[in-house]
Amino acid sequence: MTFKTLEWKNDQLFILDQTRLPLVESYIKCTTYQRVARAIKKMVIRGAPAIGVAAAFGMALGARQTKTRNPLFFRRELLKIANILTTTRPTAVNILWAVERMKRVAEENSKKGVPAVQEILLQEALRILKEDIQANRQMGKHGQILIPAGCSILTHCNAGALATAGYGTALGVIRAAAETGKRIHVFVDETRPFLQGSRLTAWELMKDRIPCTLIADNMAGALMAQGKIHLTIVGADRIAANGDVANKIGTYSLARLCHVHHIPFYVAAPTSTIDLSTKSGEKIPIEHRSPLEITRLQGRPIAPPGVKVLNPAFDVTPNRFIRAIITEKGIVAKPFKSGLKKIILPEN
Ligand code: MRU
């Protein structure tokens, strides 16, 4: 990989600015949790696992910003920072997962004093980053078995290295299949309105020399009817306990299309994306974003001024349309409810 989605260097967090890709490869420097929160909100960094890792560094930076040496004040400050980070984007559960883990570590080590906890939190964020890359590699290993040589794959949004700490989830599986020497081809949905497919996924695949073709979102059905798509694989922002999946808007339509055309529809996500506390998909909060993402393209108006706009960033795919869920701990088949529980809580 010739780029790093995010990197801790010289006591600062560097984030690859995804709003400028594919034209400009530049990094923003974060020395405060406020800057990290803003980068997540503005989608300088996006993708469920990546914003989870960024939020962990946000916690570490926030802990370093606090001047107090009083453990009680420190704790209060940390909770305030956690709240700001978790409310940046509501759908991806990975932010919540990472922030909770950081809070837990701070709590467990609170007796060691504030300076020690500050260092421990930084080490934990670095661990979360490393574990995410390892999880993606594992997911790739498990998932590539599902990708037959010579097949044409459809993917939506960006579930690649850019959406994670590295390697990717859905794109990680595709990468792993290509690395084993299988000849594959990827159809890339452009993914209106934020264009994660055309700007980011196509960029990543071309960098890796994996053959790909960019399509507008509304072309997928026709290609399926023509037999040109053999399987679909996407990432996830949150997987409910019953296997319903929240992912980029448009995923639900693709899953239904796959169902009608008898095409396998797979979801690849790390276990940090699985939320057993959310029973089913309709309970997942869906982020609504600015109408300007729809009415403007690169700053230029493309719709009549004042038009009413709806811009949900995610939709929910019911579990019945999903063939299997690929995680770093293995492939989960139906019934998802027991399968997911088993990999998250193996002792139960
Ligand atoms: O709004 P985004 O770009 O953060 O949405 C990202 C997605 O929907 C991805 O498919 C999902 O986070 C999985 S990324 C490994």
Side-chain angles (χ1 to χ4, degrees), residues 15 27-40:
I15 295 179
Y27 286 79
I28 67 151
K29 200 163 64 181
C30 299
T31 51
T32 64
Y33 76 88
Q34 292 94 334
R35 189 120 162 96
V36 174
R38 197 176 144 77
I40 296 173

Side-chain angles (χ1 to χ4, degrees), residues 65-245:
Q65 284 168 257
T66 57
K67 298 279 173 277
T68 181
R69 289 291 174 261
N70 178 317
L72 279 180
F73 291 161
F74 179 72
R75 184 173 182 271
R76 196 184 302 160
E77 194 61 20
L78 217 51
L79 292 182
K80 186 192 93 188
I81 295 162
N83 190 44
I84 288 169
L85 288 164
T86 49
T87 49
T88 47
R89 297 194 71 194
T91 304
V93 76
N94 309 61
I95 295 187
L96 217 58
W97 173 88
V99 167
E100 284 306 315
R101 177 163 156 181
M102 295 293 279
K103 272 164 57 182
R104 203 167 48 241
V105 166
E107 208 62 55
E108 285 164 4
N109 291 283
S110 60
K111 295 223 163 54
K112 295 181 181 161
V114 172
V117 176
Q118 287 169 328
E119 182 54 28
I120 289 168
L121 285 176
L122 175 61
Q123 292 310 319
E124 191 67 13
L126 289 164
R127 198 168 300 123
I128 289 174
L129 181 144
K130 207 167 136 202
E131 282 175 12
D132 186 59
I133 300 174
Q134 284 167 349
N136 293 333
R137 292 252 171 209
Q138 278 303 109
M139 226 179 289
K141 238 185 225 168
H142 297 307
Q144 64 83 17
I145 291 162
L146 301 170
I147 312 248
C151 78
S152 221
I153 306 158
L154 174 67
T155 191
H156 189 64
C157 194
N158 173 269
L162 290 168
T164 62
Y167 202 67
T169 60
L171 274 202
V173 171
I174 290 169
R175 274 199 170 98
E179 281 164 13
T180 63
K182 288 180 201 170
R183 220 175 21 82
I184 52 170
H185 169 265
V186 186
F187 281 109
V188 179
D189 254 358
E190 70 172 346
T191 319
R192 277 282 293 157
F194 210 72
L195 305 177
Q196 289 94 331
S198 56
R199 293 189 305 105
L200 310 175
T201 301
W203 182 76
E204 277 196 38
L205 288 170
M206 288 180 79
K207 262 185 184 281
D208 272 12
R209 299 185 190 284
I210 297 174
C212 64
T213 305
L214 179 63
I215 58 168
D217 298 339
N218 49 8
M219 295 172 187
L223 290 175
M224 287 185 195
Q226 292 161 21
K228 291 190 175 149
I229 291 169
H230 306 120
L231 66 95
T232 296
I233 180 161
V234 297
D237 284 82
R238 191 185 298 225
I239 302 177
N242 70 346
D244 291 349
V245 167

